[in-house]
Amino acid sequence: MNQVRLPKVSVALIGFVLASVFSATPVLGAILTKQEFSGDFTLVDANPFLLNFLPEESEYSGFVVYSESGTLSDWELSVNNLDLNLNPGSTIVGDLTPDVDFELDSGSNWNLVVDFGIAFDAPRYTLERTSSSEITLRGEVGLLGGYTYQDSAANITLSSSSTSVPEPTSLLGLLFGVGAIAVSKKAGKTKSEA
């Protein structure tokens, strides 16, 4: 029975690759902040044409998730008495999806605009955190005008999490290792056939 000998370079290379893969630690990725909010909205302003159709108060809840750079990654808003449920998958008549714009101001204040096409009389909603515990909702309904709800004592909780990504050297090491093992197997096969 022939004994297969791997070239010394291949054995050293495989050892180096395995050591680099197992000793590499993941590096910190993006830090995401999640703000959850809830409370009771009170109607503070409305077009007279809408007054008879709008509730004076409503419970609401929702959240926004964003990175340090202000990039929005997830969001949701539910306002019970308005039958309003908005999230990234929301659509209206004809499967019209909204344009979503998010701006992170100083501190943890933010502004979220969900526009289904106000220029064509479709609704646009603006949700805003303007102070430590104030949430404001503005709804615009084309020619019918708009309305504003506000909660100056909202329940707001913040949490943050970080995503980890593999360190670039560990990825390169893994790819290099797979290649080295393939080369050494081919070399071993060639020697055993000889």
Side-chain angles (χ1 to χ4, degrees):
M1 184 172 166
N2 290 342
Q3 200 172 19
V4 177
R5 286 189 174 176
L6 295 176
K8 290 180 183 177
V9 175
S10 295
V11 174
L13 188 60
I14 291 169
F16 170 74
V17 167
L18 290 175
S20 69
V21 168
F22 288 112
S23 67
T25 55
V27 293
L28 193 62
I31 295 176
L32 297 177
T33 299
K34 182 176 186 178
Q35 281 194 35
E36 296 178 84
F37 44 86
S38 62
D40 294 301
F41 274 140
T42 301
L43 184 65
V44 294
D45 188 29
N47 184 305
F49 296 114
L50 297 173
L51 279 175
N52 293 332
F53 304 100
L54 295 170
E56 285 292 321
E57 295 183 341
S58 178
E59 289 184 348
Y60 71 94
S61 63
F63 66 85
V64 290
V65 180
Y66 54 88
S67 67
E68 290 174 301
S69 64
T71 303
L72 185 69
S73 63
D74 199 7
W75 60 276
E76 187 174 284
L77 173 65
S78 178
V79 185
N80 297 356
N81 293 346
L82 290 176
D83 291 326
L84 183 63
N85 292 295
L86 299 172
N87 58 55
S90 294
T91 59
I92 59 172
V93 180
D95 292 334
L96 186 62
T97 57
D99 286 329
V100 177
D101 184 41
F102 181 78
E103 289 182 23
L104 181 64
D105 296 330
S106 59
S108 53
N109 294 346
W110 45 265
N111 184 304
L112 172 67
V113 177
V114 182
D115 187 351
F116 285 96
I118 192 71
F120 304 102
D121 284 342
R124 176 172 59 197
Y125 304 97
T126 303
L127 186 67
E128 188 174 21
R129 179 180 178 185
T130 53
S131 72
S132 60
S133 60
E134 186 173 276
I135 300 283
T136 302
L137 170 66
R138 290 182 196 85
E140 298 170 74
V141 198
L143 296 174
L144 290 175
Y147 56 84
T148 303
Y149 283 91
Q150 200 167 66
D151 182 1
S152 57
N155 302 311
I156 300 173
T157 57
L158 271 76
S159 58
S160 59
S161 61
S162 58
T163 59
S164 61
V165 293
E167 198 172 6
T169 55
S170 67
L171 288 175
L172 287 173
L174 184 61
L175 291 174
F176 198 45
V178 170
I181 291 169
V183 167
S184 65
K185 278 188 176 181
K186 186 175 181 183
K189 198 178 213 182
T190 306
K191 283 196 171 196
S192 64
E193 288 171 357

